[in-house]
Amino acid sequence: MYTARPNKQSGNAMVYVLIVVALFAAITFVLSRQTDSTETDALSDERAEILASNIQQSAMSLKQSVEQMIWTGTSIDDLDFSTPDDGAAYDAGSLGDKVFHPAGGNVILPRIPDAAINQTDTNPPARWYIGRFNNIDWTPTAANDVVLAAFQLNEAVCRRLNLRLVGDETIPALAGNANRLLITSSETAPDPGNINLTPVECADCEGVPAMCVSSTDTNGRTQYTFYSIVAAQ
């Protein structure tokens, strides 16, 4: 009986086919990982843009409400920033002067999204701050201005804010930890002797009504703060 011998060429060809299939699968995997990485980066940029827009719109909405209050007769010095968290003080006094009271400005300031925050210190914590804490040097007078600040933001969101506001994503660095001058009174600021935000602290901030800046906290960690001059005087 004749028995056919295995065809070595046919067997070798099959091995080559398997090698090609394996190489093709490996290349496809690598390309898909690269594509996924590119898409993730794009989504990250898109997310930062959305968060920056959210913060900017919140600041603009509050500023418009405060301007309306001033237009209808509330003095800048009489603006009251009590919130329901302040207990009895929220419903005491002249309700028409209260920015966050229904009888006043009726402002609802949305919380900063968690994804927009990079908290390096809980004292004070990352959140919105608003008040007449200090004077911005380049406003008309030496009186304290009303400033809104989003404290301890994510760097990517900070860059996006500056790109939207001033056309450049560069983040100016404040001298020392002067960003606390944007969120606290002179009595609790790191440098009680300097109650103003001046070009000494931030030369690039001069004349800019809203911007995101960086500073180094007492532990050497970088913090990012978005400020908006709500009412200058």
Side-chain angles (χ1 to χ4, degrees):
M1 176 183 290
Y2 174 76
T3 301
R5 295 181 180 180
N7 189 326
K8 293 184 178 180
Q9 292 182 344
S10 176
N12 290 341
M14 180 61 68
V15 172
Y16 293 146
V17 169
L18 291 175
I19 291 173
V20 170
V21 170
L23 288 173
F24 178 77
I27 292 172
T28 302
F29 176 76
V30 171
L31 290 175
S32 67
R33 289 294 299 273
Q34 292 177 341
T35 300
D36 289 345
S37 176
T38 301
E39 289 177 352
T40 299
D41 290 341
L43 286 173
S44 178
D45 289 343
E46 180 181 348
R47 181 61 173 160
E49 174 67 21
I50 292 172
L51 292 168
S53 175
N54 177 288
I55 291 170
Q56 183 183 6
Q57 290 299 323
S58 295
M60 291 175 60
S61 177
L62 182 140
K63 180 176 174 62
Q64 290 171 356
S65 296
V66 170
E67 288 176 345
Q68 180 64 28
M69 292 177 68
I70 295 171
W71 177 259
T72 55
T74 298
S75 166
I76 292 178
D77 288 330
D78 289 334
L79 289 170
D80 188 321
F81 306 103
S82 300
T83 70
D85 293 337
D86 293 319
Y90 180 64
D91 289 313
S94 178
L95 301 184
D97 295 336
K98 295 181 182 291
V99 174
F100 300 106
H101 199 284
N106 197 28
V107 173
I108 299 175
L109 188 61
R111 66 188 297 272
I112 301 173
D114 291 340
I117 290 175
N118 179 30
Q119 181 167 268
T120 65
D121 189 0
T122 59
N123 183 30
R127 63 176 179 84
W128 286 110
Y129 292 82
I130 183 172
R132 289 182 303 278
F133 304 124
N134 299 287
N135 172 252
I136 305 298
D137 187 70
W138 51 89
T139 54
T141 73
N144 284 358
D145 304 293
V146 178
V147 176
L148 173 71
F151 184 52
Q152 299 196 73
L153 292 180
N154 177 286
E155 180 182 358
V157 174
C158 188
R159 291 189 181 280
R160 283 286 171 165
L161 277 163
N162 284 351
L163 190 61
R164 295 172 65 89
L165 292 164
V166 298
D168 187 341
E169 66 174 15
T170 302
I171 303 173
L174 301 186
N177 52 356
N179 58 355
R180 296 198 180 201
L181 289 170
L182 298 168
I183 65 171
T184 61
S185 66
S186 60
E187 289 78 10
T188 56
D191 180 8
N194 183 357
I195 63 170
N196 298 335
L197 180 65
T198 74
V200 173
E201 285 78 31
C202 183
D204 292 333
C205 299
E206 186 170 9
V208 181
M211 180 183 275
C212 194
V213 296
S214 72
S215 189
T216 303
D217 67 14
T218 54
N219 295 311
R221 296 167 298 193
T222 302
Q223 295 177 326
Y224 301 95
T225 303
F226 162 71
Y227 76 82
S228 174
I229 301 175
V230 176
Q233 60 178 346

